[in-house]
């Protein structure tokens, strides 16, 4: 909370500077990211009968949305989830972990956010090329 709550506000404030995202997109991305992860957490809790996604992750995605906009935020979540999945599989395959082992998603979301900042536009452009958009 010490980082994410002020980070959300800072991202929203930064959206008033020239360049993307616009203030409306930043706010919508922050709210949409938060609600999307809240929904995933709710569904996972119902399925697993225990907490599977912490509220810090919801706020982290909201902060990413405020700073990056919705497209780069989704890319950051995708990249972070993929990286976290690879680490989880490595833990199970090589280090005696189990499917119930917990790994912090926030760490991987941060890496996904950094990747979205530095290589997000080329990746999104490559992806859009499949749809001729």
């Amino acid at each position: 909370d010490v980082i994410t709550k002020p980070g959300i506000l800072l991202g929203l404030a930064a959206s008033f500077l020239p360049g993307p995202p616009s203030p409306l997109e930043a706010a919508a991305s922050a709210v949409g990211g938060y609600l999307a992860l809240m929904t995933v957490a709710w569904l996972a809790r119902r399925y697993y009968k225990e907490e599977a996604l912490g509220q810090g992750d919801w706020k982290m995605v909201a902060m990413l949305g405020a700073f990056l906009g919705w497209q780069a935020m989704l890319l950051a979540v995708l990249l972070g989830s993929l990286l976290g999945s690879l680490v989880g599989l490595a833990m199970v395959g090589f280090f005696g972990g189990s499917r119930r082992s917990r790994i912090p998603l926030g760490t991987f979301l941060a890496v996904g956010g950094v990747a979205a900042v530095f290589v997000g536009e080329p990746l999104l452009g490559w992806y859009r090329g499949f749809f001729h958009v």
Side-chain angles (χ1 to χ4, degrees), residues 21 25-26 28-29 65 68-75:
E25 182 184 0
S29 300
L68 304 176
W70 71 273
Q71 291 183 8
M73 182 246 327
L74 288 176
L75 179 62

Side-chain angles (χ1 to χ4, degrees), residues 1-2 5-6 10 19 27 39 41-42 47 49 51 65 72 77-78 80 82 84 88 98 108 110 127 133:
D1 284 355
V2 172
K5 286 182 177 179
L10 188 60
T39 302
W42 181 80
Y47 181 79
K49 308 291 188 231
E51 186 174 301
V77 171
L78 173 67
L82 288 174
S98 74
F108 302 104
Y127 178 74
V133 177

Side-chain angles (χ1 to χ4, degrees), residues 8-9 11-12 23-36 58-67 69-70 73:
I8 293 167
L9 295 176
L12 293 173
L24 180 60
E25 182 184 0
S29 300
V31 170
Y34 184 89
L35 292 176
W58 314 354
K59 294 173 219 159
M60 179 87 160
V61 170
M63 183 176 72
L64 289 170
F67 272 104
W70 71 273
M73 182 246 327

Side-chain angles (χ1 to χ4, degrees), residues 77-101:
V77 171
L78 173 67
L79 294 174
S81 298
L82 288 174
L83 181 58
S85 296
L86 290 173
V87 168
L89 288 171
M91 285 176 55
V92 170
F94 302 112
F95 301 107
S98 74
R99 289 182 44 217
R100 305 301 281 185
S101 296

